Amino acid sequence: MSLVTAEIKAKSEVYKGDELCQEKSKLLLKEVGLPNGLLPLKDIEECGYERESGFVWLRQKKTTNHKFEKIGKLVSYAPEITAYVEVGKIKKLTGVKTKELLVWITLSEIFVDDPPTGNITFKTPAGLFRTFPVSAFEIEEPVKEVNNEEHKDKEVKQVASSSAVEVQEV
């Protein structure tokens, strides 16, 4: 049974399609001060955010497993993930499990202390927790290259406009 009801959808920002949902989920993580690589989902069909309550959901085509190489942890993301978000914290998380030894353990809460360089803690419903560096869940954003010709043109226009201002003042 889905936690996302028609009533919640009616009050929410809803996005469809993998590319848009990838962008929006990373933007939301950044907005609430969580690392941008925390939700490495594939083939996202729908995502939504009800700002008033902080309720968030993501739907993907199938379960995705991801290994966070920096800490050597395998995490499983169900086809539907739901949570309540606030600054530095994810609460009432559903659809996310981590593998400890040979057992899959459900995660229910994630929070960051001293963002963005501090630690991130993952809690289970039983109160067990593990803490890791935030950097283990960060994805480096690709740097957009600036065309040198465009950059030079902008510099020339700025210089020209500033000298025009100076002439007018004299």
Side-chain angles (χ1 to χ4, degrees):
M1 185 177 104
S2 176
L3 294 174
V4 183
T5 63
E7 183 182 325
I8 290 173
K9 272 188 166 184
K11 298 189 299 185
S12 302
E13 300 169 22
V14 180
Y15 305 98
K16 297 198 183 275
D18 184 56
E19 191 175 323
L20 181 59
C21 289
Q22 293 284 352
E23 181 184 321
K24 292 296 182 179
S25 63
K26 285 179 178 57
L27 188 64
L28 174 64
L29 288 169
K30 186 176 182 179
E31 190 178 302
V32 297
L34 295 168
N36 63 355
L38 201 55
L39 297 170
L41 306 180
K42 294 181 173 72
D43 297 326
I44 304 174
E45 296 178 311
E46 180 182 273
C47 64
Y49 182 31
E50 202 277 294
R51 287 189 181 272
E52 189 176 310
S53 67
F55 183 72
V56 175
W57 74 90
L58 297 119
R59 282 199 185 116
Q60 56 184 348
K61 289 183 180 176
K62 61 181 184 177
T63 298
T64 300
N65 290 332
H66 178 80
K67 185 169 186 179
F68 289 97
E69 295 296 335
K70 292 180 182 176
I71 58 170
K73 292 291 176 190
L74 186 62
V75 178
S76 177
Y77 298 89
E80 182 175 274
I81 298 160
T82 64
Y84 288 87
V85 296
E86 57 187 58
V87 175
K89 185 182 279 192
I90 295 175
K91 304 181 300 184
K92 298 183 182 177
L93 178 64
T94 68
V96 182
K97 296 178 180 181
T98 185
K99 195 165 193 178
E100 290 290 331
L101 296 173
L102 300 172
V103 179
W104 285 100
I105 298 174
T106 300
L107 296 177
S108 61
E109 190 175 331
I110 301 170
F111 59 91
V112 174
D113 60 346
D114 194 27
T117 57
N119 293 319
I120 186 165
T121 301
F122 298 84
K123 281 179 97 174
T124 70
L128 302 172
F129 65 91
R130 283 271 179 123
T131 301
F132 301 98
V134 168
S135 61
F137 302 92
E138 287 288 350
I139 297 173
E140 288 188 32
E141 297 290 329
V143 178
K144 293 182 181 176
E145 290 186 28
V146 176
N147 183 340
N148 282 339
E149 294 303 315
E150 288 178 21
H151 187 64
K152 287 178 185 175
D153 288 346
K154 287 179 184 174
E155 283 183 341
V156 170
K157 288 177 185 173
Q158 287 175 345
V159 169
S161 65
S162 65
S163 62
V165 171
E166 290 173 22
V167 172
Q168 290 174 352
E169 289 178 3
V170 173

